[in-house]
Amino acid sequence: MGWLPTNTLLGDLELEEVFVEYDGPRLFTCRSRTDQKFIAGWAEEGVDRDLWLYVPVSTGRLSAVRSGGINLRDAYLRPEGFLYVATLYHQGDEPDTVVPIRPTDVLDDWLPASDFALNLDTPTAEPALDPENLERLAVQEGRTRLDVQVHLPDYYRTEAPTRAIGLVLVALQGVLENFGALELLEEPPQAGALPIDVTSALASNVLALSAASFVLGIAATDGQDLFGESPFSKAVERLVTMAADAADSETVAQEVLQLKPRGARSYSRLIRQLAETKGDVTLNAGSPQFGKRTAKLTAEKLDRLSQLLDAAIEQEPTEIRGRMTLVAADSEHMRFGLRDVESDVLYQGKVSAAALPEVSRATIHDEYEVILTEVALDEAATGQTKFTYTLEQLSHMVDGSSPQSAPELPAAPSSAPTGDDTP
């Protein structure tokens, strides 16, 4: 007995992929000479013959079934076209027969369980380039390329959650810009927007999505300059080299120092976003400058690296002391506005519970000895760092005048380090 009907309306069939085997194939795909594909499943065993269900499938339907997007039972009960029952006799004394039937005529005993799904890796995009071909293409194009391969658990097709991948892309661009700033500027700004010449030099384009299991391919918007230099290339090389390092506390601590606070926070944000995918990640880079680089990060290593980065970057709030003029106070909402006497910088933010009694008795426009705490906050959506300020102490009132009612908090100048929680 064979598993493929012969001399029937299905034509000449060729076995392709076997999914379930028991004393021979029991669930498999086959193809006709006209390239029509079928999913064939063993339906019933008889004394002298077996029954099989054959359902024609398109490429898209086969990918969905193979990857678990459509379970096998639904593939039979909701076919794209006809459904066939094939009768194959054991001895070959009688010819094979194939009869088209309606899904409603399929017996329940012929069907697999309702929760049976294949869940096989099924690329639905072009395969990702290996490091050698990525390097070759980068040299041909004269620009650095970077592929971020994310092997997502429970995803068997070339698909990924839009939000998760979007956050990875934003974090990735933030890392490249901050790493590039370390190459281009002697003292990169640790807050606010990066200079336009930095962001322009580190601009990248999304090239393609490919399979392995899910790959984000990006490349420098501009190629190398006349001297063969590229800040984008150096940023990518630094990123992949760091990611490939052993995730131990001493190595991470040294890297954090080299990156400076802003670069370290952006790198930590990217690793955290990759770790939150819960999958293994591979970074493949190709460049005319450095050739090829690869970093493989398992889900476990990503979690560990994220924890090490958090520990290395975590700092106590920065303390700011100075003589300042009280320009606004709101005891009810616990808000303050203070202007530094020497630098003329305006600070705005929250009043701590400990400082609240002092603020409630304070006088607007008088000078005080002030203690503030500053905390840096990263915005994942923009890759920017903002600062919040808390008034911890207000003392040494200049005169004994009675407190005045506080005016509305004035708008801070664009250059002032205003807290991002200003009302």
Side-chain angles (χ1 to χ4, degrees):
M1 180 195 74
W3 300 279
L4 299 171
T6 58
N7 300 320
T8 68
L9 58 85
L10 300 183
D12 293 333
L13 301 176
E14 179 180 351
L15 185 68
E16 288 204 322
E17 185 176 15
V18 177
F19 302 127
V20 177
E21 188 163 0
Y22 177 75
D23 290 337
R26 298 300 174 182
L27 178 65
F28 56 87
T29 60
C30 57
R31 182 197 297 265
S32 72
R33 288 188 177 179
T34 58
D35 287 335
Q36 174 61 61
K37 291 191 174 185
F38 298 86
I39 296 176
W42 187 39
E44 181 182 284
E45 182 179 23
V47 176
D48 60 346
R49 51 94 181 116
D50 284 353
L51 297 183
W52 295 76
L53 285 177
Y54 275 73
V55 57
V57 289
S58 62
T59 300
R61 174 62 64 92
L62 179 57
S63 293
V65 173
R66 195 178 183 282
S67 62
I70 297 176
N71 64 46
L72 191 60
R73 189 183 186 95
D74 285 344
Y76 287 127
L77 294 180
R78 297 178 177 85
E80 297 170 284
F82 290 103
L83 180 66
Y84 300 93
V85 174
T87 304
L88 278 63
Y89 290 89
H90 296 170
Q91 301 301 325
D93 297 334
E94 296 188 48
D96 298 334
T97 62
V98 170
V99 179
I101 63 171
R102 294 172 296 182
T104 53
D105 294 331
V106 175
L107 299 182
D108 192 69
D109 290 344
W110 294 352
L111 298 170
S114 59
D115 60 350
F116 179 82
L118 293 176
N119 293 336
L120 300 173
D121 285 333
T122 307
T124 52
E126 291 297 317
L129 294 173
D130 58 36
E132 289 74 19
N133 282 318
L134 191 65
E135 178 191 4
R136 178 179 55 81
L137 191 56
V139 171
Q140 291 174 355
E141 295 178 346
R143 61 177 180 172
T144 298
R145 295 176 62 118
L146 173 65
D147 279 0
V148 181
Q149 301 183 8
V150 185
H151 299 265
L152 295 166
D154 302 324
Y155 275 79
Y156 300 95
R157 283 170 285 173
T158 311
E159 297 179 4
T162 301
R163 179 177 293 278
I165 296 302
L167 291 173
V168 168
L169 275 172
V170 171
L172 177 61
Q173 184 61 35
V175 165
L176 296 177
E177 289 175 356
N178 282 295
F179 283 14
L182 294 172
E183 301 288 343
L184 295 171
L185 305 175
E186 291 187 6
E187 291 295 333
Q190 298 302 304
L194 288 170
I196 187 65
D197 56 338
V198 172
T199 56
S200 297
L202 276 297
S204 65
N205 295 337
V206 175
L207 301 180
L209 305 177
S210 52
S213 59
F214 189 89
V215 183
L216 294 167
I218 70 169
T221 300
D222 297 322
Q224 61 198 40
D225 61 22
L226 294 176
F227 302 99
E229 295 294 325
S230 167
F232 186 91
S233 176
K234 292 180 179 178
V236 169
E237 183 178 18
R238 183 193 285 256
L239 169 61
V240 180
T241 301
M242 286 177 52
D245 286 343
D248 61 78
S249 57
E250 183 177 351
T251 300
V252 171
Q254 291 175 351
E255 291 171 342
V256 164
L257 288 176
Q258 294 174 0
L259 294 176
K260 299 187 178 181
R262 181 173 186 149
R265 286 194 296 268
S266 67
Y267 180 55
S268 177
R269 187 185 306 118
L270 173 63
I271 295 300
R272 184 169 61 251
Q273 295 297 345
L274 291 174
E276 288 179 357
T277 67
K278 306 300 182 184
D280 298 337
V281 172
T282 300
L283 303 179
N284 282 330
S287 172
Q289 281 75 39
F290 59 74
K292 60 180 182 291
R293 294 282 190 278
T294 296
K296 296 183 181 296
L297 302 100
T298 63
E300 292 76 15
K301 181 177 179 179
L302 283 167
D303 280 335
R304 173 66 175 158
L305 182 55
S306 182
Q307 293 171 12
L308 290 173
L309 284 166
D310 286 344
I313 294 171
E314 184 178 4
Q315 300 175 355
E316 294 295 323
T318 302
E319 186 178 275
I320 300 174
R321 293 174 176 262
R323 192 170 186 84
M324 302 187 188
T325 301
L326 184 67
V327 296
D330 185 342
S331 299
E332 181 180 356
H333 298 96
M334 301 180 70
R335 311 294 301 174
F336 77 88
L338 287 159
R339 189 177 298 279
D340 190 282
V341 173
E342 293 186 4
S343 66
D344 201 40
V345 171
L346 175 68
Y347 296 93
Q348 299 177 0
K350 297 179 181 180
V351 178
S352 70
L356 186 59
E358 301 165 352
V359 172
S360 64
R361 297 190 299 268
T363 303
I364 299 300
H365 303 310
D366 279 355
E367 294 181 2
Y368 299 89
E369 294 295 329
V370 173
I371 299 177
L372 304 174
T373 53
E374 175 189 80
V375 176
L377 297 175
D378 293 328
E379 287 192 338
T382 64
Q384 306 249 333
T385 301
K386 293 190 176 183
F387 298 89
T388 61
Y389 298 92
T390 302
L391 175 60
E392 305 291 352
Q393 184 175 317
L394 189 75
S395 58
H396 302 306
M397 192 178 295
V398 174
D399 57 43
S401 58
S402 59
Q404 303 177 23
S405 58
E408 291 295 321
L409 292 179
S414 58
S415 59
T418 304
D420 63 349
D421 53 1
T422 302

